[in-house]
Amino acid sequence: MELVDGFVSRIKNNVLIIRSKLLSRYPNVVFGMSTRLGGFSLEPLGMNLSYSVGDRREDVDKNRERFFGALNISGERVAFPRQIHSGTVNVASVPGDYENCDALISNLKDVYLSVSIADCVPIFLYDPVAGSVAAVHSGWRGCKSGIVGSAIRRLETEFGVLPSNLVAYIGSSAGVCCYEVGEEVASAFDRAFVRREV
């Protein structure tokens, strides 16, 4: 696993958490990405935190308790987007589930944001001046619809964030070595961002 900005920390019960060197500079930010290790779910799910992948609910509940506990936060304080591979951004004003969106933003200190990923790209934005955050799930459909730009615009309009103040962490995702798409996806993007192999 190659981590340019990130580093892995091992917490009790063999829970591995990917942390960000960039975001760890800000004491007001609690950040961590889970891996598959240290969970209760049957393999290959391991530390799965999502209810939408066919995992047993009781295993996901135990995984969430273990993972969020390792971050010293209560799972009852976390906001979860019900992701649909869209460009939709919602404001998280309370913990809980947010239907039909792929990004959440907030400026509340007691609401923690999450996204679920497998091969898509997780992007985390933080404004240390305004104290606002965004958690973005960006698959190819979200990328095509400009979900990161939409999240930044919502941070601006909802919380007065200046884009120049934002710091961003792009988390682990499937790489070129492990992910191929067909012409129907490749043709949706500018040629400069597509590598074709024959």
Side-chain angles (χ1 to χ4, degrees), residues 15 34-42 45-51 55-70:
V15 176
S34 68
T35 68
R36 290 185 179 175
L37 301 177
F40 292 94
S41 300
L42 297 175
L45 297 173
M47 181 55 86
N48 170 50
L49 303 174
S50 173
Y51 294 123
D55 200 353
R56 294 177 352 143
R57 187 170 190 88
E58 55 269 22
D59 290 342
V60 175
D61 289 341
K62 289 190 284 189
N63 289 341
R64 285 182 175 192
E65 183 178 342
R66 178 175 279 181
F67 177 72
F68 293 124

Side-chain angles (χ1 to χ4, degrees), residues 171-194:
S172 303
S173 63
V176 172
C177 64
C178 309
Y179 192 78
E180 295 180 4
V181 297
E183 188 59 34
E184 74 284 355
V185 174
S187 63
F189 293 90
D190 186 292
R191 291 177 152 189
F193 304 111
V194 176

Side-chain angles (χ1 to χ4, degrees), residues 30 67-74 112:
V30 177
F67 177 72
F68 293 124
L71 293 173
N72 295 316
I73 62 175
S74 166
Y112 299 90

Side-chain angles (χ1 to χ4, degrees), residues 30-32 49-51 60-61 63-83 91-99 104-106 108-116 124 133 135:
V30 177
F31 175 82
L49 303 174
S50 173
Y51 294 123
V60 175
D61 289 341
N63 289 341
R64 285 182 175 192
E65 183 178 342
R66 178 175 279 181
F67 177 72
F68 293 124
L71 293 173
N72 295 316
I73 62 175
S74 166
E76 295 176 356
R77 303 304 317 156
V78 181
F80 298 93
R82 293 292 182 118
Q83 299 163 190
V91 176
S93 54
V94 295
D97 293 335
Y98 287 81
E99 298 294 328
L104 294 173
I105 64 170
S106 186
L108 302 174
K109 293 183 180 185
D110 62 344
V111 174
Y112 299 90
L113 307 183
S114 69
V115 290
S116 294
F124 303 93
V133 294

